[in-house]
Amino acid sequence: MNRPASAVLIVEDEKPIRRFVRAALESEGLKVFEAETGRQGLVEAATRKPDLVVLDLGLPDLDGVDFICGLRAWSAMPVIVLSARAQEPDKIGALDAGADDYLTKPFGVGELLARVRAALRRVATGPEGAAVVRFGRTSVDLGARVVTRGGAPVHLTALEYRLLAVLARNLGKVLTHRQLLREVWGPSYIEQSHYLRIYMAQLRHKLEDDPAQPRYLLTEIGVGYRLSAE
Amino acid sequence: MTDDRADPDELLARIRREEDRAGRGRLKIFFGASAGVGKTYAMLSAAHELRAQGVDVLVGIAETHGRKDTQAPLAGLEVLPPRVVEHRGAQVAEFDIDAALVRRPACILVDELAHSNAPGSRHPKRWQDIEELLDAGIDVFTTVNVQHLESLNDVVNGITGIKVWETVPDRVFDQADEVIVVDLPPDELLQRLRQGKVYMAAQAEQAIRNFFRKGNLIALRELALRRTADRVDDQMLAYRNDEAIGRVWATRESMLACVGPQAGSERLVRSAARLARQLGVEWHAVYVETPALQRLPTAQREAILKVLALAQQLGARTATLTGQSPAAEIIDYARRHNLARVVVGRGRARALWTGRSITDRLGTLAPEIEVIQVGIEDVAPRRARAGDGAGQPGPKYGGYAWAAAICTAATAAALPLAGRLDLANIVMLFLLAVVVTAVRFGRGPAVLSAFLGVAAFDFFFVPPRYALAVSDAQYLIVFGVMLAVALVIGHLTSGLRFQARVAGHREARTQALYEIARELSGVLTREQVIEIGDRHIEASFHARAVILLPDAADKLAAFDANPQAGAPAVDLAVAQWVFDNGKPAGFATDTLPGSRVHYTPLPAPMRTRGVLVLEPEISRLLLIPEQRRLLETFAALIAIALERVHYVEVAQGALVRIESERLRNSILSAMSHDLRTPLTSLLGLAESLAITRPPLSAAQLEMAGAIRDEAVRMNALVNNLLDMARLQAGEVRLNRQWQPLEEAVGAAVAAMRQPLAKHTVRIDLPADLPLAEVDAVLFERVLCNLLENAAKYTPAGSEVVIEASTQGDEFRVAVADNGPGLAPGMEEAIFEKFTRGEVESTTPGVGLGLAISRAIVEAHGGRIWVERGRDGGARFVIALPRGTPPALPAEAGRAA
């Protein structure tokens, strides 16, 4: 999996954090570039063309959302943002702007590496993702629009299927409430987050062994949802 | 179509009327022609019916006069104990309004609407007590006889010859929601009277016997029935108006009543009120003060002011005008206010030399105005001019002395010239003395001067000199001319001086208003407003004044911490009443008029801002309508200044709060960043050690793990401290959204997987649990804290159960364990900051988690507590209000 050619750009103003993130990534055999400011980070991203960006949201010179928008103008490379607790609005802003995942400071090295691996794997499978997504005993055939669990077909309503399909196409990626509501219900529903929560609960009851302790349809509290295959 | 459309103002007035009525109690009057028709009995019977329907009825006071048939129905009704008052050495039982307001029944019975309360009561009249009860939203039943209606007082007097002193304003009767006529034919009434079933005060028995003559009773009965019919008429009119039957308000129809100094003015005012009511028009009452009337004794002037007050009570707008000619002033006022009818009294007063009455003069001056004459000569003899001159200003006597002195000087000047000048020229000197006296000292001294001058002239100059004999009759002409000159000039000067004085007063009032408005416009603090207000009121009203302001609980307190010696004796209870009711009280009002102190509210647009208390030195000043209006304007100006200052303070407070919040937030986020960055590095570096190559030894790995664990603990501590700081800083901004509790519980359990690794977690949520409106992030924090607590204080292998249920309009979420439980008595203490379950414990963690949880739950409007669970474990319960969840999205159950 760990192709030696993969390169990661760290945009972070705190040197000690840069240092250990670099150490962790290099231990995985990844190539690492560093940038201390947002502007420098954009230049580095354009010149070095890394496969992934780890971005701190507390940069002194540039807002995280501006950085991501600047990057997304020309590249779809995955972005993992680092943020402090009690910064939910910043996280949501960054995810809405196109970030793929987030980590809350302080974070463990193991967690960081898991997220980086997952993001790189998504790049490897291509932009469209797999036609069949499997998690646990469930498999979702996005082409045939068929959901089975342990081999038996599962009956989903149209909206439940659309919600599951959006999550499956973005396997492992955090999707905010807004993104999901817009994708599934349409732009005029982005304030109706209880719709989403109710349908999510219904999906869990149909697809999880213990809906109260989900293993695949994960809640990112205050932010959104993620479908995890692990 | 367009004609049917109601005038918007009229509609608004109607809505206001209905709103007023909505909050107000309903008044039901049992109306009779005379005593003994059974009003009280009828009222008590109605009360019994209400009580049978389950209404909370209270008998406030019932005048049963010890009669058995009236007392009997009292049985079974709750009766308010009367207030016993000492009056003229006798014990008088009075209605206890304060007790009634405290008791607050749905309906109260208060007998005898026209009753006058004993001196020292809150209101002089019982009908005012009833108004207050109605304002408080309590329904009232009461009784009244026709002769007690203010406007019919004279008529009844004319018929029966008995003057009734206890009267009720007609508007009380007209505004009653229901009037029930209690009627008894005169023969039956007389029968009852003979049987001794009618109450009579012993001392006036003979007079009352005269009253109960059959003729009288028939007339009174007719009056009562007609008055009720009038009322029904008015109601019909009001209904027609309400129901958008358009009608132009005939302002031109309005009326002006001219109050004169005569004794019958009261009667004039009552007639005018009656007339205005019958015509359905508004009316004004004015009094024209001429120089002649200015010289009236104080008692009589106060009587006139009282008549004006009566007019106001009967619904008139009142004013005092000043001028030389009453007719001209009245016409001027009528034209300015668009009044088409003028009501004057037909008295004996006629101008001295023209012989024309005021009616003639009004007719000549303004032929277009309708003049109505009302007979006002009282049956009673004209009031004796007792106490004449009691209030006369003093310096007059000085004027007479000066008159004598000037005459003496003229004589002294003329004596040496006696031989050399013609007598005609010497007379000129005396004439000069008369003119000087008249100009300087007015008419009286001038007349004296004329007499003295003629006497001196006669004695010293007219032959035979040094004798008072007059040889030639032509000197009588000299005398007459001098007297006429004295009178004419004296009259003119006193008129001029009067005009100047009136203009001076007017100027002073305008000046006072200008001054206070100018000074108040610049103030920035309440102390300044009060200082300026006090100073100006003391100057303009010759009164000692105090301004009382309410505190945060709307209770009045003297603003001045150390009142001066001369401050008025303020009764805080009265002041509070004035503040609460927004009505003036004390001297010169209807409420507690016996007091020497006047209380007036300070009305500002938003609310009443305080109470102005003043004790006038010259009490008459407050009775003059213009002065009252000046006082009201002062009060309004002070109130507006206070309101402005209040809002300045509010705005400043808001600014400070915004500023401090901004500062607090920036400090918190800076701290959060500065503390977390090294922690993140510490944790990351410690974990990096574990993956370095070549790998660390087992001992080194353990040390790296310990560094990591400590960093995690430190982080938890920092998180708690920052959370607590945020919550304590005040407004926690909740991001409440409707969500299934299952999700929050699941997220919390997932987040706490590590600490709970050695425990069994069981989640027990009913499938039909409705959505809860919570801030997901904060609510997860609460659950995490509770789970962390359970993990910390129970041994490994214990079971932690999360349950939820609905109880009434609440959600209950419980986190229970089967551990050792809490030490008794700690149930509340553990929610305090920095308290832990066990006093001596090695368990890490500062006791902030539960304090944070409580703060969050309370911000959601809920409660959190701990109780003993099964097996003696601790059971933390969160109760949250359920609210009304939004409608669920509907979807056709189409399978994919």
Side-chain angles (χ1 to χ4, degrees):
Chain A
M1 261 306 191
N2 304 336
R3 294 180 306 166
S6 289
V8 178
L9 171 65
I10 309 166
V11 188
E12 162 69 80
D13 58 323
E14 297 290 339
K15 198 171 176 201
I17 297 180
R18 272 206 315 271
R19 189 196 304 156
F20 91 79
V21 171
R22 172 178 208 123
L25 294 175
E26 280 177 350
S27 76
E28 284 282 295
L30 295 164
K31 197 166 178 199
V32 177
F33 305 108
E34 291 181 27
E36 211 172 325
T37 65
R39 294 183 202 294
Q40 196 193 334
L42 279 176
V43 173
E44 287 285 320
T47 52
R48 309 278 188 187
K49 299 262 167 33
D51 298 284
L52 182 140
V53 178
V54 175
L55 169 71
D56 178 33
L57 283 186
L59 292 176
D61 67 325
L62 201 62
D63 190 47
V65 172
D66 293 339
F67 182 95
I68 294 166
C69 289
L71 190 70
R72 282 282 173 268
W74 57 271
S75 165
M77 70 177 76
V79 177
I80 296 174
V81 296
L82 308 177
S83 76
R85 244 189 77 230
Q87 278 193 333
E88 270 75 18
D90 293 354
K91 272 181 237 172
I92 294 170
L95 290 166
D96 278 339
D100 293 66
D101 208 341
Y102 72 92
L103 278 166
T104 301
K105 286 183 188 176
F107 50 87
V109 168
E111 220 179 333
L112 169 72
L113 292 178
R115 303 289 170 91
V116 169
R117 271 187 230 121
L120 287 174
R121 204 159 48 228
R122 271 203 304 282
V123 176
T125 48
E128 285 304 307
V132 178
V133 177
R134 288 192 180 80
F135 55 94
R137 295 189 293 137
T138 310
S139 102
V140 182
D141 188 333
L142 293 170
R145 296 166 67 89
V146 172
V147 181
T148 57
R149 186 155 184 248
V154 179
H155 286 279
L156 298 182
T157 67
L159 280 172
E160 283 168 3
Y161 175 76
R162 259 156 71 187
L163 177 58
L164 181 63
V166 172
L167 285 164
R169 270 199 291 275
N170 294 283
L171 187 70
K173 194 177 165 188
V174 179
L175 295 172
T176 63
H177 295 130
R178 283 171 83 89
Q179 284 171 334
L180 285 169
L181 284 162
R182 188 169 35 227
E183 287 280 314
V184 178
W185 277 269
S188 54
Y189 287 85
I190 50 177
E191 297 303 324
Q192 310 288 334
S193 67
H194 62 281
Y195 282 24
L196 174 59
R197 293 195 166 96
I198 290 165
Y199 278 90
M200 207 59 203
Q202 288 172 2
L203 273 184
R204 280 185 184 140
H205 278 266
K206 288 181 179 175
L207 303 177
E208 292 275 3
D209 293 330
D210 181 357
Q213 299 194 63
R215 288 188 58 198
Y216 310 106
L217 294 160
L218 303 181
T219 306
E220 298 290 336
I221 202 90
V223 176
Y225 296 98
R226 174 211 308 269
L227 179 62
S228 165
E230 278 137 53
Chain B
M1 186 67 195
T2 46
D3 289 355
D4 293 343
R5 195 176 300 156
D7 171 18
D9 289 339
E10 185 59 34
L11 269 180
L12 202 65
R14 179 179 155 200
I15 290 166
R16 286 227 182 90
R17 261 204 306 278
E18 275 163 13
E19 275 176 358
D20 282 354
R21 245 174 242 159
R24 225 173 117 88
R26 297 175 63 80
L27 177 63
K28 187 171 189 170
I29 295 180
F30 293 81
F31 186 51
S34 84
V37 294
K39 297 179 301 293
T40 306
Y41 184 87
M43 177 172 79
L44 288 171
S45 309
H48 271 284
E49 272 170 43
L50 266 191
R51 197 171 159 277
Q53 290 164 20
V55 179
D56 179 16
V57 182
L58 175 71
V59 178
I61 198 150
E63 312 277 3
T64 58
H65 308 297
R67 285 201 304 275
K68 279 214 186 75
D69 16 347
T70 319
Q71 253 172 352
L74 262 180
L77 289 173
E78 184 188 345
V79 180
L80 188 75
R83 191 166 56 93
V84 178
V85 186
E86 192 84 20
H87 179 45
R88 290 185 192 150
Q91 301 269 319
V92 188
E94 285 288 356
F95 171 55
D96 191 345
I97 181 163
D98 288 310
L101 285 170
V102 169
R103 165 70 178 71
R104 270 201 87 85
C107 176
I108 189 163
L109 272 57
V110 185
D111 210 356
E112 292 292 347
L113 179 64
H115 177 79
S116 294
N117 290 329
S121 304
R122 166 126 42 125
H123 301 294
K125 298 287 186 181
R126 184 167 287 165
W127 62 264
Q128 293 167 324
D129 289 343
I130 289 176
E131 294 261 284
E132 193 169 337
L133 290 168
L134 293 170
D135 282 341
I138 301 173
D139 292 350
V140 179
F141 284 11
T142 188
T143 65
V144 73
N145 285 330
V146 66
Q147 73 261 35
H148 294 299
L149 288 183
E150 183 76 60
S151 67
L152 295 176
N153 196 334
D154 297 325
V155 182
V156 173
N157 184 12
I159 296 169
T160 63
I162 290 176
K163 182 94 178 153
V164 180
W165 297 108
E166 300 189 322
T167 58
V168 177
D170 286 55
R171 70 181 157 82
V172 177
F173 181 79
D174 289 330
Q175 284 168 6
D177 297 274
E178 230 176 304
V179 170
I180 290 181
V181 182
V182 182
D183 188 35
L184 192 68
D187 286 329
E188 278 179 46
L189 180 56
L190 288 171
Q191 175 86 22
R192 286 181 53 140
L193 188 70
R194 275 192 292 276
Q195 290 168 349
K197 284 183 175 173
V198 178
Y199 166 77
M200 280 180 282
Q203 66 270 35
E205 196 164 337
Q206 191 50 47
I208 289 168
R209 291 256 173 236
N210 286 340
F211 182 84
F212 283 99
R213 272 179 293 137
K214 193 171 173 185
N216 279 353
L217 292 179
I218 291 171
L220 286 174
R221 188 173 177 223
E222 191 188 332
L223 261 182
L225 293 175
R226 213 154 66 184
R227 186 65 182 78
T228 317
D230 277 358
R231 192 178 168 278
V232 173
D233 243 22
D234 288 349
Q235 277 175 335
M236 204 260 291
L237 264 179
Y239 171 80
R240 282 165 59 102
N241 283 344
D242 278 356
E243 296 308 307
I245 293 164
R247 199 183 70 149
V248 181
W249 181 248
T251 352
R252 283 291 298 169
E253 302 288 304
S254 299
M255 254 172 36
L256 175 64
C258 308
V259 175
Q262 307 92 323
S265 291
E266 261 182 58
R267 198 160 156 167
L268 167 86
V269 162
R270 287 212 186 88
S271 300
R274 205 159 49 229
L275 204 56
R277 196 175 50 72
Q278 279 163 5
L279 294 172
V281 299
E282 55 175 289
W283 64 293
H284 298 232
V286 297
Y287 166 62
V288 185
E289 201 172 48
T290 59
L293 294 178
Q294 255 243 313
R295 283 190 289 273
L296 288 175
T298 315
Q300 212 170 335
R301 294 181 67 193
E302 276 176 11
I304 292 165
L305 293 173
K306 273 193 190 125
V307 172
L308 279 183
L310 172 73
Q312 197 154 23
Q313 209 179 57
L314 290 172
R317 280 171 62 182
T318 58
T320 314
L321 311 174
T322 45
Q324 285 281 5
S325 154
E329 291 297 330
I330 288 167
I331 295 297
D332 187 42
Y333 185 90
R335 289 199 173 132
R336 260 189 291 135
H337 291 84
N338 212 14
L339 309 171
R341 291 197 181 91
V342 175
V343 182
V344 295
R346 188 181 60 236
R348 296 190 189 122
R350 269 164 203 278
L352 263 178
W353 43 75
T354 55
R356 295 170 66 201
S357 72
I358 188 154
T359 319
D360 302 333
R361 272 174 283 150
L362 285 173
T364 323
L365 280 170
E368 87 279 9
I369 284 181
E370 208 175 303
V371 179
I372 300 166
Q373 283 195 336
V374 177
I376 57 167
E377 289 300 317
D378 213 329
V379 190
R382 282 181 73 100
R383 199 168 297 176
R385 302 192 99 201
D388 238 0
Q392 291 281 10
K396 293 274 162 78
Y397 299 110
Y400 290 103
W402 273 106
I406 289 169
C407 275
T408 312
T411 313
L415 267 179
L417 308 169
R420 275 165 275 172
L421 286 181
D422 192 49
L423 279 182
N425 293 326
I426 286 173
V427 160
M428 288 299 149
L429 269 176
F430 284 98
L431 195 57
L432 179 66
V434 169
V435 170
V436 167
T437 313
V439 169
R440 188 74 189 76
F441 303 105
R443 198 159 49 176
V447 171
L448 176 69
S449 172
F451 273 107
L452 288 176
V454 172
F457 178 62
D458 183 20
F459 189 77
F460 291 109
F461 303 100
V462 178
R465 290 181 70 181
Y466 307 110
L468 277 176
V470 181
S471 59
D472 199 339
Q474 63 177 322
Y475 292 109
L476 283 177
I477 295 174
V478 174
F479 174 67
V481 167
M482 272 170 74
L483 198 59
V485 165
L487 285 173
V488 168
I489 293 184
H491 185 71
L492 283 179
T493 359
S494 70
L496 277 175
R497 264 187 294 156
F498 169 73
Q499 287 288 2
R501 235 182 59 205
V502 168
H505 281 317
R506 212 173 283 155
E507 159 102 27
R509 277 201 279 268
T510 317
Q511 183 70 20
L513 268 183
Y514 162 77
E515 289 282 338
I516 192 173
R518 189 176 56 82
E519 287 197 38
L520 284 178
S521 67
V523 298
L524 286 171
T525 66
R526 301 204 303 178
E527 290 83 348
Q528 282 174 305
V529 175
I530 286 173
E531 188 269 320
I532 291 168
D534 279 352
R535 183 153 47 77
H536 280 274
I537 285 165
E538 280 170 19
S540 297
F541 293 91
H542 305 287
R544 292 185 294 275
V546 165
I547 291 170
L548 303 176
L549 299 179
D551 59 13
D554 274 355
K555 290 279 163 263
L556 286 179
F559 189 79
D560 203 351
N562 41 339
Q564 304 108 337
V570 179
D571 183 339
L572 269 184
V574 180
Q576 188 66 44
W577 185 90
V578 169
F579 180 75
D580 293 341
N581 290 273
K583 289 177 189 159
F587 177 72
T589 67
D590 293 339
T591 311
L592 289 174
S595 166
R596 278 198 44 73
V597 183
H598 178 81
Y599 301 80
T600 199
L602 298 175
M606 297 305 288
R607 52 168 300 178
T608 302
R609 289 276 155 205
V611 173
L612 170 65
V613 183
L614 73 162
E615 186 178 5
E617 278 161 25
I618 309 162
S619 47
R620 188 167 44 87
L621 272 182
L622 267 189
L623 290 169
I624 302 170
E626 275 72 17
Q627 287 289 105
R628 283 294 289 280
R629 229 161 284 158
L630 183 69
L631 181 64
E632 277 163 26
T633 315
F634 268 34
L637 280 173
I638 293 170
I640 287 167
L642 284 171
E643 185 152 292
R644 187 170 55 78
V645 168
H646 170 74
Y647 282 112
V648 167
E649 281 168 12
V650 167
Q652 275 173 348
L655 210 64
V656 168
R657 214 163 40 244
I658 290 168
E659 203 47 53
S660 68
E661 194 175 337
R662 191 180 300 157
L663 189 67
R664 204 160 48 218
N665 284 345
S666 66
I667 289 175
L668 277 176
S669 58
M671 261 177 63
S672 154
H673 178 261
D674 290 358
L675 285 168
R676 243 182 225 118
T677 305
L679 277 172
T680 308
S681 313
L682 205 58
L683 181 66
L685 290 171
E687 287 199 344
S688 304
L689 278 179
I691 51 172
T692 47
R693 284 179 206 171
L696 301 181
S697 70
Q700 284 169 324
L701 266 180
E702 200 192 317
M703 271 192 263
I707 295 174
R708 181 197 167 278
D709 291 347
E710 289 306 297
V712 169
R713 258 183 62 190
M714 184 74 173
N715 180 54
L717 180 63
V718 167
N719 281 346
N720 272 347
L721 282 171
L722 288 173
D723 281 352
M724 201 65 226
R726 279 205 181 88
L727 288 164
Q728 288 247 300
E731 304 101 87
V732 193
R733 269 187 294 278
L734 294 181
N735 175 23
R736 292 180 85 153
Q737 285 176 353
W738 291 97
Q739 45 209 318
L741 277 178
E742 188 183 72
E743 196 171 289
V745 170
V749 171
M752 286 292 119
R753 193 162 287 146
Q754 193 106 39
L756 285 168
K758 291 172 189 157
H759 293 70
T760 323
V761 178
R762 192 157 60 81
I763 300 174
D764 188 5
L765 302 177
D768 58 347
L769 206 61
L771 300 184
E773 192 186 22
V774 293
D775 181 313
V777 177
L778 292 178
F779 193 67
E780 190 220 6
R781 285 286 293 151
V782 175
L783 290 175
C784 284
N785 281 334
L786 296 182
L787 289 172
E788 193 186 4
N789 237 42
K792 229 190 267 181
Y793 294 107
T794 56
S798 306
E799 191 189 39
V800 181
V801 182
I802 304 172
E803 307 164 308
S805 62
T806 52
Q807 282 190 12
D809 52 0
E810 275 185 341
F811 272 112
R812 292 276 170 89
V813 182
V815 177
D817 60 57
N818 58 355
L822 275 168
M826 290 295 286
E827 288 84 357
E828 264 307 301
I830 52 165
F831 288 102
E832 301 293 323
K833 270 168 276 177
F834 306 113
T835 306
R836 290 193 293 179
E838 297 158 59
V839 183
E840 295 296 327
S841 165
T842 52
T843 317
V846 177
L848 268 178
L850 288 177
I852 291 170
S853 301
R854 171 164 277 186
I856 292 172
V857 170
E858 283 176 357
H860 278 83
R863 298 167 293 139
I864 182 169
W865 68 93
V866 64
E867 57 193 30
R868 238 174 106 81
R870 71 215 143 90
D871 315 327
R875 184 180 148 90
F876 287 86
V877 186
I878 303 164
L880 291 174
R882 273 175 70 171
T884 318
L888 299 188
E891 190 203 358
R894 229 170 351 119

